[in-house]
Amino acid sequence: MASLLQAAANPRGLFPWRGYCSRGTKGELGKDFVEALKAVVGSPHVSTTAADREQHGHDESMHRCRPPGAVVWPQNVEQVSQLAALCYSQGVPIVPFGTGTGLEGGVCAMQGGVCINLTRMDQILRVNPQDFSVVVEPGVTRKTLNTYLRDSGLWFPVDPGADASLGGMVATAASGTNAVRYGTMRDNVLNLEVVLPGGRLLHTAGLGRHFRKSAAGYNLTGLFVGSEGTLGLITAATLRLHPAPEATVAATCAFPSVQAAVDATVHILQAAVPVARIEFLDEVMMDACNRHSQLNSFVAPTLFLEFHGSERALAEQIERAEEITQHNGASHFSWAKGAQERSRLWAARHNAWYAALALRPGCKGYSTDVCVPISRLPEILVQTKEDLKASGLTGCIVGHVGDGNFHCILLVDPEDTEELRRVRDFGKQLGRRALALHGTCTGEHGIGLGKRQLLQEEVGVVGMEIMRQLKAMLDPRGLMNPGKVL
């Protein structure tokens, strides 16, 4: 064990990659290596049990479990740095882990190795209220942060639905229901503390800095936002905060068709109505939400809307939005002004994933994720709805249509290879249709395991070459979350 720790402290003493496995037992970590992990973080914070390894070998996607050889829970950045140095010196793959709510297999340990679970690094380190920023450790969840900020007049609006860890949200460039007004994680990360594969520490915008804009050199912060754990381990994030709105009103309205609902969305945006949230749910999704969340909404293609601002501004926004939606055939308006009523409405929207899973108990969910220019949104949504009906698959459509992003949630029997093939083909077809309309194959879920071919089609040969060069420079041994993105 001492020799392993010494090798980690002296990168010149690298061992062959296979040295971390027990002789004759493929994928298992050697006893000395496990003891070295315990020496860094303490025995209670290392597990090699089958249950812990399996729990950390999958997310909420349909990708099969690929467990790591061990799970480690570091308590601070110094331990993360030592773990990275130890693993790199021994050629051991490193897989970062947050809350496991991803949808593209990003935490599957494709080559075994060590899963570094960062959820116990969960401190809110510093709030700068006058500068509208906060520094958090990666294990802090978005709900925890907003509860902490409740009396400050500030909030963090990026909301992917699940109570994800903020480190995981940075790593996957998460988005969500508020993106149309407040942007995605890419717009709300000011600085990152990152442990690089060999253990070095990087502050992407400089130590302690939290400025709103800069023209100083390359955008290193942006490089790590959305890197999916393939370039380093995020150990702290400086995030942009926003003033909490004075007043909030939410509403739902039903439409006679998908086309009418999406046309209304485009018209609201074109009229510059400052909507904070505008979500689309098709009639299958609405029926599922009614059952799962005990709603009593009309079963039809539906928009969920929310407006933020002063009381006077809200009155104008509501009047204009209602006028536009009615012009597009909307009916069954339901306004939610009280906090409890709004919370119930958005809880139903956030639980859409689980509502969809309940449509076919025992099956796995597969959520597609594409984003197109707003002008092409009606075209692709209408065509996708027709394709879904023709496919014979069980599924529904839901999306953050205010920024051109939507998902098909498909239910699949993981033991039915033919059905799995049809689901994957549907996802690829949808991704390629989005690319043909000058969109992207993923607006927020990331590439993970399932969209590597689509990424190549999106960015082209030169784009992939540059990405591989960046990866090779920062992770020359290819040990950071191997098998993902590239």
Side-chain angles (χ1 to χ4, degrees), residues 251-255 261 264 268 300-305 321 325-326 330-334:
T252 63
C253 51
F255 290 84
I268 287 171
T302 299
L303 290 181
F304 282 35
L305 303 102
T325 54
Q326 286 179 343
S331 62
H332 296 84
F333 270 91
S334 177

Side-chain angles (χ1 to χ4, degrees), residues 278-296:
I278 182 164
E279 299 285 301
F280 170 77
L281 295 82
D282 73 358
E283 72 280 1
V284 180
M285 189 75 261
M286 283 305 303
D287 186 43
C289 286
N290 277 345
R291 298 182 192 184
H292 184 77
S293 299
Q294 287 77 55
L295 295 182
N296 191 30

Side-chain angles (χ1 to χ4, degrees), residues 4-46:
L4 294 183
L5 292 174
Q6 184 177 6
N10 176 18
R12 294 181 181 178
L14 297 178
F15 287 76
W17 70 269
R18 60 185 177 274
Y20 75 92
C21 291
S22 299
R23 190 173 295 177
T25 310
K26 185 178 179 181
E28 291 189 7
L29 298 171
K31 182 178 178 181
D32 284 351
F33 184 81
V34 172
E35 290 302 314
L37 294 174
K38 292 178 180 179
V40 173
V41 299
S43 294
H45 306 299
V46 177

Side-chain angles (χ1 to χ4, degrees), residues 378-388 429 433:
E379 176 183 350
I380 191 171
L381 260 175
V382 170
Q383 184 62 58
T384 300
K385 184 66 175 176
E386 292 175 359
D387 290 346
L388 186 55
Q429 179 187 32
R433 179 173 287 125

